[in-house]
Structure formats: structure tokens, C-alpha cells
Amino acid sequence: MATETEREILKYLRDRFLDFHQLGTYAYAVFLSKDHPLAGAKELSLDDLQPYPYICYSQTDSAHSFLEEGIRPDARKIIRVSDRDTIYQILSDHRAYTIGSGVISSRGDDQLMAVPLESSSGIIRIGWIASKDHRVTKLEKEFIDLCQSYIGSS
């Protein structure tokens, strides 16, 4: 969860008797191609990104549209996509960017990189959701522990 939308999401969950269980927090990062003109920067600002196309998830299948990224830059061009593979493909082939946790899956780690977004941009909370009365099974606990170890090592 991103701090800018946290209150709205927590209310949404609370109204449905759901709990958010935090696994970790990350500073925002900018995902871009290793060939992008900004790839050599140690840190980027939203102003640095303004001339480049911004890629974001389109959430057309829900009446509630939460901002997954938590930050919506003032980009001249916005490219909306519905899946992660499309984001990786566009990032790899174009001078575009997206904003996220800084964790890159193995699918894109050879072509993409994450550059920290300026420190004033906030944090992202990553976790899992369950009903308030849900008791975690042994298998679920193993999966949660695996996620926790992955998040802790990133």
C-alpha cells in the first residue's frame, strides 16, 4: 500500500471486515530500462521524469480505483496497461518509466533497473489481506514466511 491511499484502502478493508498484514516497507523507486537516458542517476525527482511517458496500471474491472503506485506524476504522456508483462515490454523498448517498490521480478531484471525516487516521496507498504476472523493454515503460514523472506532480502 502507498501512504497517499492508505487511509482510503484501510477504510475499504475495515468496511468489509478485512485486515491488512504488513510484510515490509519500501521507498519509492523508478523502474526504467538500463538504456534509458536517466539510468545513470543515483536518485530521481518527479521533475526529472516529466518529459518521459509514464506507465500505470489501468483498473477498469473495479468500481473502486485505488492508486497502486501511490504517486501519479505530472507526465505529458500516460500509457495505461493491465498486466506486468506489458509494462516490462514497454519499459524495455521505450524511454518510458513507472514507479513502484523497487523490487524487480526475475522476468525483467536483465533489462530493467530501479532508481530511488527522491526521499520526500514516501513509502510503500507491502502485505497480505485476510478476513478478520481468518486463522492462517500451516501452508498459508509457509507461503507468508516465504514472501517475508523474499521481501526482507530485496
Side-chain angles (χ1 to χ4, degrees):
M1 272 193 294
T3 56
E4 290 184 26
T5 58
E6 185 172 356
R7 187 177 314 137
E8 184 178 348
I9 292 173
L10 290 176
K11 180 185 181 323
Y12 180 86
L13 296 175
R14 195 171 41 252
D15 290 349
R16 287 153 184 79
F17 306 101
L18 299 170
D19 284 329
F20 175 77
H21 303 270
Q22 184 170 301
L23 293 172
T25 60
Y26 287 92
Y28 283 103
V30 178
F31 292 99
L32 36 79
S33 165
K34 291 180 178 177
D35 297 328
H36 194 285
L38 300 176
K42 294 199 183 298
E43 183 178 78
L44 293 169
S45 71
L46 292 175
D47 288 341
D48 295 331
L49 300 169
Q50 209 271 336
Y52 300 98
Y54 170 65
I55 307 170
C56 67
Y57 282 107
S58 175
Q59 299 179 344
T60 57
D61 62 339
S62 172
H64 300 281
S65 182
F66 299 118
L67 182 58
E68 179 177 323
E69 300 88 351
I71 293 177
R72 183 63 49 96
D74 183 25
R76 292 182 189 154
K77 183 173 184 177
I78 297 174
I79 302 168
R80 289 180 171 76
V81 299
S82 60
D83 65 276
R84 192 165 310 279
D85 281 340
T86 302
I87 284 182
Y88 284 146
Q89 190 62 48
I90 294 170
L91 288 174
S92 297
D93 296 342
H94 301 283
R95 292 183 170 185
Y97 71 94
T98 194
I99 296 173
S101 65
V103 177
I104 299 176
S105 77
S106 59
R107 158 69 172 85
D109 63 3
D110 61 333
Q111 302 164 24
L112 305 179
M113 61 182 300
V115 177
L117 189 59
E118 63 186 359
S119 58
S120 62
S121 300
I123 61 166
I124 296 175
R125 299 178 196 283
I126 296 178
W128 56 279
I129 298 169
S131 62
K132 287 192 179 290
D133 59 352
H134 180 74
R135 293 181 185 220
V136 176
T137 67
K138 182 180 178 185
L139 184 59
E140 291 167 336
K141 173 77 170 114
E142 289 175 18
F143 179 74
I144 291 167
D145 289 345
L146 183 65
C147 291
Q148 184 71 61
S149 67
Y150 178 78
I151 287 172
S153 67
S154 297

